[in-house]
Amino acid sequence: MQNLQNLFEGIQPVVYRDGRILFLDQTALPAETRWIEIDSAESCRDAIKRLVVRGAPAIGIAAAFGMLAASRAAAENGFEGYCAHMKKARDLLAASRPTAVNLFWALDRVEKKILACRDRPVGEIKALVEEEAVKIQKEDQEVCRAIGVHGQEIVKDGMTVLTHCNAGALATSRYGTALAPIYAAKERGFDVKVFVDETRPLLQGSRLTAYELLQSGVHVTVITDGMAASVMGKGWIDACIVGCDRMAANGDAANKIGTYGVALLAKAHHIPFYVACPLSTVDPATLEGKDIEIEERDPAEVTRFMGRPTAPAGVEAYNPAFDVTPHHLISGILTEKGLIRAPYAENLERLLSSSRFPGSPAPVMPRG
Ligand code: MRU
């Protein structure tokens, strides 16, 4: 049995080592492994915008380290000046990408920490900001691990799972959300296979999910997005598991563009469709999916591919980065506190108001 810890040596999107903040440049994967050093809120914002670091939890972690970079650069002559400097950094980072709520969740955590310490010397507050960034990353690891363990309710020996985009180690601190149950099943010695949609236009499925699953020894097959119906129709898929960028209070889930289509296909083929979603991705202030702001990206991502035009010059293109899957298409929501079923509004509220995590004992992997 492989040790989960060892599976991920080298697959970490954000690394904080010897005081250096490093992001694995996911735009270069799988061809090249290169790192980008973050030394300011601006460089962090640019990295998030360019998808050097991407995936909701990883964006939150990256933003927390962006705040740390800004904090280091701040002068130490008084709380008010420091606070104004950090507020500017926060606004800058908050404007990087609008959909993944983890970004705002992490920025809020760092900001709250700062405001709670207004009586302390700025030098001490800076140390606390560092501590908070490291804590956010570490907690995410535990959250993902717990999602993997609870995911054993879904992922059984011999199953084939279809996923869309990348909700794996590369999108989190480690293990992932949608991929965590796959890694946990692998750890138990289960034979689990994964079909991954390539995920146009930026190919997070084929470039990133296939990369990390292959590295971890999980059997993975890449398909184009348009093939999902066909493989479901052949009876090859037992369950779909996807990640989430923001979940509304009623369980509607925003995730990578194309996810809604996968959910509809799953429904048509009577295949269960699960959303893996840490509680940091649930936004109780957003009541329904239609209230979620969907990022629109450069249309050139649709009309060009690998630097070449794939559509006639001057043609219009539409490029929303995410879509919303209505809660009635979701068979279950997999969180670090367990798998919940409909009614989602009530069950999400119950989970959010209980405080088992962080600080609660981690769930234990079932035997057998
Ligand atoms: O545009 P991206 O690559 O940031 O989109 C990522 C996704 O849609 C993921 O599925 C989602 O963030 C969940 S990551 C655990």
Side-chain angles (χ1 to χ4, degrees), residues 123-365:
E124 261 181 47
I125 303 177
K126 285 184 169 187
L128 290 169
V129 167
E130 178 185 27
E131 208 178 281
E132 193 66 8
V134 171
K135 203 164 148 204
I136 285 172
Q137 186 177 38
K138 178 140 195 312
E139 278 174 21
D140 182 67
Q141 206 167 307
E142 289 163 27
V143 162
C144 290
R145 172 76 192 168
I147 288 175
V149 173
H150 290 302
Q152 299 311 284
E153 228 179 289
I154 300 171
V155 177
K156 306 291 177 199
D157 197 13
M159 254 187 155
T160 301
V161 171
L162 183 137
T163 191
H164 188 79
C165 193
N166 173 263
L170 286 163
T172 60
S173 55
R174 279 189 175 194
Y175 317 130
T177 57
L179 297 192
I182 309 284
Y183 291 127
K186 166 96 184 146
E187 191 189 26
R188 296 175 77 188
F190 285 3
D191 172 30
V192 178
K193 295 186 173 59
V194 177
F195 274 82
V196 55
D197 289 344
E198 68 173 352
T199 317
R200 278 283 285 149
L202 296 178
L203 307 186
Q204 287 93 332
S206 56
R207 289 190 306 105
L208 307 177
T209 300
Y211 169 82
E212 62 167 272
L213 288 175
L214 262 191
Q215 287 224 348
S216 313
V218 176
H219 188 289
V220 54
T221 305
V222 174
I223 55 172
T224 66
D225 299 351
M227 294 173 191
S230 167
V231 298
M232 287 188 196
K234 289 177 195 294
W236 291 355
I237 307 298
D238 299 303
C240 300
I241 313 179
V242 298
C244 185
D245 282 85
R246 186 185 298 232
M247 179 166 284
N250 69 347
D252 292 350
N255 191 49
K256 179 52 56 196
I257 191 75
T259 303
Y260 178 27
V262 173
L264 287 167
L265 292 175
K267 181 90 174 170
H269 291 92
H270 310 289
I271 295 167
F273 176 89
Y274 298 100
V275 176
C277 178
L279 293 179
S280 57
T281 302
V282 181
D283 178 14
T286 298
L287 298 184
E288 296 175 31
K290 67 174 174 45
D291 304 324
I292 298 174
E293 186 181 345
I294 300 293
E295 175 186 7
E296 271 194 45
R297 296 184 62 85
D298 185 351
E301 288 178 353
V302 174
T303 56
R304 298 182 71 81
F305 190 70
M306 309 282 283
R308 289 176 176 221
T310 52
V315 74
E316 271 183 36
Y318 171 52
N319 189 17
F322 303 97
D323 58 24
V324 175
T325 299
H327 62 273
H328 66 86
L329 293 176
I330 300 173
S331 312
I333 298 170
L334 182 59
T335 75
E336 66 270 32
K337 291 187 183 176
L339 177 68
I340 58 164
R341 309 267 181 189
Y344 294 120
E346 287 92 316
N347 289 335
L348 282 171
E349 195 185 353
R350 182 178 48 78
L351 281 197
L352 286 172
S353 56
S354 72
S355 57
R356 249 178 56 205
F357 214 90
S360 62
V364 177
M365 187 81 78

